[in-house]
Amino acid sequence: MSSTNRRYDIDWLRVIAIGLLPIYHIGIGFQPFGVLIGFIQSNKPLDTLWVPMSMLNIWRIPLLFFVSGMGVCFAIRKRSCKQLLLERARRILLPFLFGMFAIVPLHVFLWQLYYNQEIAYTIHPVHLWFLANIFAYVLLLSPIFFYLKKNENGKFHRGLKKLFSKPWGLLVVVAAFVLEALLVKPQVYETYAMSLHGFIMGMLAFMFGFLFVFSGEEFWSTVRKWRWLTLSLALLLFLLRYFEFQLVAPRYLLAIESNMWIFAAFGLANRYLQKPGKALGYLTRAAYPVYIIHMVFLYLGSFLIMPLDISPWFQLILIVLFTFIGCFALYELLIRRIRFLRPLFGLR
């Protein structure tokens, strides 16, 4: 597989998707079900916030799985199977285990303290479940990926290039996700964490992300050309979900809408975000540690701010600022500067 220049559009998508994650998690604290899934919950809910959150939650996690599969396709160009597995163990498995034993217990402790629960040391993946899935996909799919690498000019590769050079190639991808939704029948489509639906859907996205990059320029040309159509379809499907189904649409429609948002994101990023820069370089390195630690600052901010007798919108803004400032301060002052901490947060 030939090497290519760094794809800044994919870097930007990864940064944006990870940046949306803390904001989404903060929003959960302002929903009436927040405490039921382990978040510190405001006594002043913001029901209208659920509308944009519902638009995000069917594509933000699948997008990260697609991008992760793309990253593996770039990675194997200069690595053997053994080298890939060792690198992914260091960059994914190690931070996952460290986070589960050392990071997660901190924000669980804050939740226990806030709600006067029995204080107990808790080992649990919580938001780090995503890393466990990614590492499992690398183990399961690497033999296939390296077989494709050895047969880059084979019939499958030529067929893939031809398929993704046309818009109906995208429909094949959509059909796979619709089939998954119909067969697995998740009770709530957007429940990805530690569920069979989340695992299979994530593996499909991871695999197709790899295949999109493996196919070459054809996929990118297609999503770039049809970006406004896929964006329009995504908006129409969301409006249908909102007005016709009160945001609880059939699974197959959610699968279609999710992919339309993602194809639009790939097309728009490929057209408008092919730009390097110092900000992107810094955020690309910081995104992974911020993802790992954001729940600690989110819970600490909620612990301190939610009891205040102020507007819930002001609470929301303060918690967002507290979370991001805290995450980047810890990253800048400690994580990236202390050598032995770097690998624990996925840094080289």
Side-chain angles (χ1 to χ4, degrees), residues 24-41 50 53 57 60 104 107-108 111 115 124-127 129 188 190-194 295 298-299:
Y24 183 85
H25 282 163
I26 291 167
I28 291 177
F30 291 88
Q31 301 307 307
F33 57 83
V35 69
L36 300 177
I37 56 175
F39 284 78
I40 295 176
Q41 181 179 312
W50 184 241
M53 289 175 67
N57 65 7
R60 60 184 181 85
V104 169
H107 65 78
V108 173
W111 187 89
Y115 287 107
H124 195 280
V126 189
H127 66 296
W129 67 271
V188 179
E190 303 90 322
T191 302
Y192 308 117
M194 293 171 284
M295 293 286 269
L298 189 162
Y299 277 60

Side-chain angles (χ1 to χ4, degrees), residues 5 22 31 38 44 49 138 141 198-199 202 204 212 214 222 228 249 260 275 286 297 315 319 324:
N5 294 328
Q31 301 307 307
K44 300 174 181 178
L49 196 61
V138 172
L141 297 176
F199 187 84
L204 281 175
F212 292 161
F214 182 72
T222 298
W228 297 117
M260 291 302 107
K275 299 175 182 179
F297 288 99
Q315 287 182 345
I319 295 172
F324 279 98

Side-chain angles (χ1 to χ4, degrees), residues 269-321:
N270 189 260
R271 174 63 181 84
Y272 300 110
L273 295 179
Q274 289 280 18
K275 299 175 182 179
K278 291 183 179 180
L280 177 60
Y282 182 85
L283 292 173
T284 299
R285 291 186 293 272
Y288 194 6
V290 166
Y291 156 70
I292 293 171
I293 63 176
H294 80 274
M295 293 286 269
V296 175
F297 288 99
L298 189 162
Y299 277 60
L300 181 57
S302 299
F303 187 95
L304 297 172
I305 295 167
M306 282 189 174
L308 300 179
D309 187 21
I310 57 177
S311 162
W313 288 106
F314 194 33
Q315 287 182 345
L316 176 70
I317 293 169
L318 288 177
I319 295 172
V320 169
L321 292 173

Side-chain angles (χ1 to χ4, degrees), residues 17-18 31 34 41 94 97-98 124 136 148 156 169 203 230 254 259 269-270 292 297 322 332 348:
I18 292 178
Q31 301 307 307
Q41 181 179 312
L94 177 60
L97 294 174
F98 172 74
H124 195 280
L148 293 176
F156 180 81
M203 186 158 60
T230 52
L254 293 173
N259 279 272
N270 189 260
I292 293 171
F297 288 99
F322 185 94
E332 182 62 33
R348 293 184 176 88

Side-chain angles (χ1 to χ4, degrees), residues 1-2 4-7 9-10 70 73-74 77 152 157-158 160-166 170 209-227 266-267 269-271 274:
M1 299 176 74
S2 59
T4 61
N5 294 328
R6 188 170 185 92
R7 290 294 302 272
D9 55 336
I10 297 174
M70 292 176 175
C73 191
F74 289 121
R77 288 172 173 170
E152 185 179 9
H157 187 232
R158 293 195 296 271
L160 203 64
K161 292 172 74 68
K162 184 176 180 180
L163 176 68
F164 289 140
S165 67
K166 304 296 181 181
L170 303 181
F210 179 95
L211 294 177
F212 292 161
V213 172
F214 182 72
S215 68
E217 177 57 28
E218 281 73 11
F219 168 78
W220 302 104
S221 176
T222 298
V223 291
R224 188 169 60 245
K225 179 179 179 180
W226 297 97
R227 63 189 184 277
F266 284 138
N270 189 260
R271 174 63 181 84
Q274 289 280 18

